[in-house]
Amino acid sequence: MKCYLTIDFGSTYTKLTAIDVAGERILATAKDITTVEDDIMIGFDNAYRKLVNRIEKELPISQVEFVDKIACSSAAGGLKMVAIGLVPELTAEAAKKAALGAGARVIKTYSYELNSHEMLEIKNSAVDIILLAGGTDGGNKECIIHNAKLIVEHNIDKPVVVAGNKAASDEVERIFAESNIDYYLAENVMPKINKLNVEPAREEIRKVFMNKIIEAKGMKKAEDFISGILMPTPAAVLKAAEVLSEGTDDEDGIGDLIIVDIGGATTDIHSIGKGDPTKAGVLLKGLEDPFAKRTVEGDLGMRYSAISLLEAGGTRKIRAYLNDIDKQWDVKGMCNYRHDHIKMVPQTKEEILFDEAMAKVATELSMTRHCGVLECIYTPMGTMFNQTGKDLLNAPYIIGTGGVIVHSENPRGILEAGKFNPAEPIHLKPENPKFMVDKTYILSSMGLLAQSNPDLAVKIMKKYLIEV
Amino acid sequence: MKNGKKVVIGVIGSDCHAVGNKIIHHVLETNGFEVVNIGVLSPQIDFINAAVETKADAIIVSSLYGHGELDCQGMREKCEEAGLKDIVLYVGGNIVVGKQDWTDVESRFKAMGFNRVYRPGTPIEITTEHLKADLGI
């Protein structure tokens, strides 16, 4: 039996998925604790043994031929990046969006000509890749050249992806080449004012991740067994979202969609769709959003970020979701407990209820931050609206993934918190979406599979994502 | 034929007159300018940010709804703050409320730091010629 094996080296679990090609189905899945401190292959071997056991209930493992073994990783902190641009709202923001879409955690965004202090901060941070942008094509050259020189001056030993003004790229290349900076050139992230071009930079980042970062994180050994760690896990999820939405030549996609991924440290939202205004009299403003957009909320998470989630949402919001009118719950205490006990798995009914209330807050806030916003303007021609970001009012699907949603008995309740709220009509969140759950936890796996067999990936996702 | 000069254009403030803006874009482009059009409903900072990123040679501000004077205040200072030291700055349209004495209006906008100020109904072709002269084409 021909099978694909996908591996997700997560920060907590290493997850394996075996996919039966002819049967168009998931043959088996297994997971075990990621062992990045000792040797990443120990955790992998444990998970692999479990996988083999499960497969052997159906057929001898000798009959299974793994045609491809592909992996993604968010272990050892995932991919950490800084983005450098010129104007904060323009090229710096474009660079940040490109890095996020490549699956990175953006530690900080810098703008204008940097000073030594900022460059030292970058040098001393645990960043994996620097994305250097600035200037539209044919526009400002001085800023990116200044920053390139500063990178050389400070002897930065991190890979630099250059995606700025094309008219300056020869000069930047010369500066870097003369001083052995490990650099990679990509097309400008913002070739024209307010015009995004994030794909080429994302692709370059993915290549650097594959060739360099994996090695730096001690995961080189894994490469002996598998065909290569292709991308950071969030990039795989975004890839899965893209292919499920758009489909392939032979397999129709399901159209625009949103993925809500709630983790212990962050909540990620992915949206696929143009996000053009759905109502008349609305004008688009500012930098456009990428068609495949990912945002990461570092302050919204179930464990590491439990305290910041409380700060962002406030006790009132959590109590509202708990239906706690008499203030019976010790909201603060429960958030603190989760922050101090990262590995806590909710057991009692009370613990489960509280986790779900937190998840609802995370969903609501992260959707508010991800979706576009309207601003009302009074003009002599009457009331007009400015739209910044994507209008997702008509998005047909919200898909939930991440532990708290996947294991919940009421995933729909959590996802509904991300819906349009008539009390806050300026936030362009979906009005009447259908809700689906990634019950078998296959999204990142399908993103990997989509690299080599997109048809199969779409078919399997349509089969395994369950409407709730 | 391109003339190698770059102009940021747009309609400032809460003004959404889009047609004139398109005409200006078209005429400047046929005269060889590279046009960076930031569209309508644009605050000062959007003009300036666009000029910084694109290293533009000039900014032309349009305003038709009568509140141009309010919308334009402090723009030259902000340009200087952003490092656009000698950028050519024009304004035109229906830039003040009601019928006011033109020489007075012009001098007020010039005092604000605009290099040229255009009265209502000025054809864009005239502005284009001025722009060529001011940018040494």
Side-chain angles (χ1 to χ4, degrees):
Chain A
M1 180 191 282
K2 281 193 189 326
C3 280
Y4 283 96
L5 178 65
T6 65
I7 305 123
D8 178 353
F9 292 102
S11 49
T12 323
Y13 288 107
T14 295
K15 297 184 271 283
L16 268 53
T17 309
I19 302 140
D20 168 8
V21 180
E24 296 176 354
R25 65 185 177 126
I26 308 283
L27 180 60
T29 62
K31 68 175 180 180
D32 207 273
I33 302 279
T34 299
T35 48
V36 77
E37 292 86 2
D38 313 316
D39 177 352
I40 193 122
M41 293 313 281
I42 300 172
F44 170 81
D45 287 338
N46 290 342
Y48 188 70
R49 262 195 303 278
K50 287 185 194 169
L51 188 82
V52 169
N53 282 340
R54 278 174 205 168
I55 293 175
E56 290 210 313
K57 284 185 185 142
E58 198 174 320
L59 77 166
I61 191 72
S62 55
Q63 285 183 25
V64 174
E65 181 203 347
F66 286 121
V67 289
D68 210 354
K69 298 167 190 150
I70 31 185
C72 58
S73 166
S74 59
L79 168 64
K80 294 191 280 296
M81 291 183 63
V82 293
I84 305 173
L86 174 51
V87 173
E89 296 86 352
L90 298 171
T91 46
E93 182 66 23
K96 183 182 165 193
K97 283 181 175 167
L100 282 173
R105 225 172 76 206
V106 178
I107 301 177
K108 202 165 171 182
T109 309
Y110 295 87
S111 45
Y112 301 117
E113 292 186 356
L114 269 60
N115 57 36
S116 304
H117 185 76
E118 288 171 307
M119 200 47 86
L120 277 175
E121 191 177 84
I122 295 174
K123 191 182 163 86
N124 296 330
S125 66
V127 61
D128 298 311
I129 302 178
I130 296 166
L131 179 57
L132 178 64
T136 54
D137 281 349
N140 182 297
K141 289 200 270 191
E142 292 84 354
C143 180
I144 191 168
I145 290 172
H146 170 95
N147 291 335
K149 282 181 182 158
L150 214 58
I151 286 173
V152 170
E153 234 172 76
H154 285 80
N155 234 330
I156 304 272
D157 58 353
K158 315 282 185 194
V160 182
V161 173
V162 183
N165 184 355
K166 79 178 170 76
S169 63
D170 283 350
E171 176 73 9
V172 172
E173 193 168 12
R174 195 186 56 73
I175 294 167
F176 283 165
E178 278 175 5
S179 42
N180 293 322
I181 294 280
D182 184 19
Y183 71 93
Y184 304 83
L185 284 180
E187 280 173 36
N188 195 348
V189 286
M190 199 174 88
K192 279 174 157 180
I193 281 295
N194 286 342
K195 184 84 203 145
L196 265 190
N197 175 40
V198 291
E199 279 307 321
R202 280 180 185 176
E203 187 52 31
E204 211 57 45
I205 293 165
R206 195 180 70 81
K207 280 188 206 151
V208 180
F209 178 82
M210 206 161 80
N211 299 331
K212 293 260 166 190
I213 309 305
I214 291 309
E215 204 169 339
K217 300 211 162 158
M219 295 168 78
K220 195 68 189 164
K221 273 192 194 161
E223 290 214 319
D224 297 339
F225 182 79
I226 57 185
S227 329
I229 295 180
L230 287 171
M231 53 180 114
T233 306
V237 175
L238 191 61
K239 179 76 200 168
E242 241 180 306
V243 68
L244 174 63
S245 163
E246 291 191 286
T248 64
D249 284 350
D250 297 323
E251 194 64 36
D252 286 339
I254 64 169
D256 288 0
L257 59 90
I258 296 167
I259 292 179
V260 178
D261 182 353
I262 307 179
T266 64
T267 298
D268 286 22
I269 306 283
H270 306 253
S271 69
I272 313 294
K274 270 184 73 71
D276 285 339
T278 51
K279 297 211 157 65
V282 176
L283 293 149
L284 283 170
K285 194 187 155 197
L287 187 59
E288 65 174 13
D289 268 338
F291 178 74
K293 174 184 176 180
R294 166 175 177 251
T295 49
V296 182
E297 306 307 336
D299 60 337
L300 302 175
M302 301 298 297
R303 297 292 179 264
Y304 289 93
S305 313
I307 293 175
S308 50
L309 179 139
L310 174 66
E311 281 163 5
T315 45
R316 186 184 292 264
K317 218 180 243 324
I318 297 184
R319 282 193 205 284
Y321 281 122
L322 283 169
N323 257 328
D324 178 25
I325 307 154
D326 323 320
K327 301 196 177 167
Q328 297 289 316
W329 292 72
D330 174 19
V331 171
K332 221 173 182 172
M334 297 192 103
C335 287
N336 281 332
Y337 184 84
R338 278 158 177 75
H339 176 263
D340 299 336
H341 299 82
I342 303 292
K343 297 209 163 126
M344 171 198 166
V345 177
Q347 306 289 346
T348 67
K349 194 164 174 260
E350 198 180 45
E351 286 169 351
I352 293 171
L353 266 178
F354 193 81
D355 262 12
E356 299 207 347
M358 283 174 73
K360 286 172 187 172
V361 173
T363 306
E364 184 195 324
L365 294 180
S366 55
M367 282 291 285
T368 304
R369 295 180 196 167
H370 180 97
C371 297
V373 65
L374 283 184
E375 181 192 2
C376 176
I377 313 150
Y378 303 101
T379 77
M381 281 85 71
T383 311
M384 302 288 294
F385 291 96
N386 256 345
Q387 176 187 328
T388 315
K390 283 184 180 183
D391 180 340
L392 295 170
L393 282 172
N394 291 345
Y397 294 101
I398 296 184
I399 302 169
T401 186
V404 66
I405 293 177
V406 171
H407 298 126
S408 170
E409 280 173 21
N410 181 23
R412 188 189 168 101
I414 298 173
L415 294 174
E416 275 190 333
K419 264 177 69 173
F420 177 80
N421 178 358
E424 294 170 353
I426 57 165
H427 297 294
L428 304 168
K429 301 194 261 190
E431 272 180 311
N432 288 306
K434 289 187 183 129
F435 297 99
M436 299 209 282
V437 170
D438 177 21
K439 263 283 172 218
T440 30
Y441 237 131
I442 54 161
L443 280 176
S444 59
S445 161
M446 290 304 115
L448 290 170
L449 179 62
Q451 294 284 331
S452 37
N453 195 337
D455 287 340
L456 184 59
V458 177
K459 279 183 194 156
I460 290 183
M461 278 191 278
K462 283 191 193 163
K463 206 188 282 183
Y464 284 86
L465 296 176
I466 296 161
E467 197 167 329
V468 287
Chain B
M1 267 298 277
K2 291 210 165 181
N3 62 29
K5 298 292 180 191
K6 207 175 287 173
V7 195
V8 174
I9 67 165
V11 185
I12 201 165
S14 307
D15 189 343
C16 51
H17 288 88
V19 179
N21 179 52
K22 286 199 173 129
I23 295 170
I24 293 172
H25 188 143
H26 176 74
V27 172
L28 287 174
E29 216 160 56
T30 37
N31 274 275
F33 290 95
E34 193 180 322
V35 181
V36 179
N37 191 345
I38 59 166
V40 298
L41 290 167
S42 300
Q44 285 182 9
I45 195 70
D46 285 8
F47 285 87
I48 292 163
N49 283 341
V52 170
E53 285 280 12
T54 59
K55 206 174 192 326
D57 304 283
I59 296 175
I60 301 178
V61 176
S62 300
S63 177
L64 269 131
Y65 70 156
H67 303 293
E69 196 165 359
L70 274 175
D71 291 334
C72 288
Q73 267 162 15
M75 188 154 180
R76 173 59 81 184
E77 287 82 352
K78 286 198 194 91
C79 284
E80 273 169 20
E81 200 69 59
L84 302 169
K85 217 169 166 307
D86 300 308
I87 195 158
V88 170
L89 202 53
Y90 292 179
V91 62
N94 283 312
I95 55 179
V96 290
V97 182
K99 286 196 175 77
Q100 298 187 27
D101 175 51
W102 181 249
T103 46
D104 188 33
V105 171
E106 191 178 18
S107 64
R108 268 172 14 228
F109 276 83
K110 286 216 161 143
M112 272 194 253
F114 285 86
N115 301 86
R116 289 183 192 270
V117 187
Y118 295 100
R119 63 169 81 223
T122 312
I124 183 64
E125 286 76 9
I126 292 179
T127 312
T128 307
E129 290 316 308
H130 287 159
L131 200 56
K132 284 179 182 168
D134 289 352
L135 296 176
I137 298 165

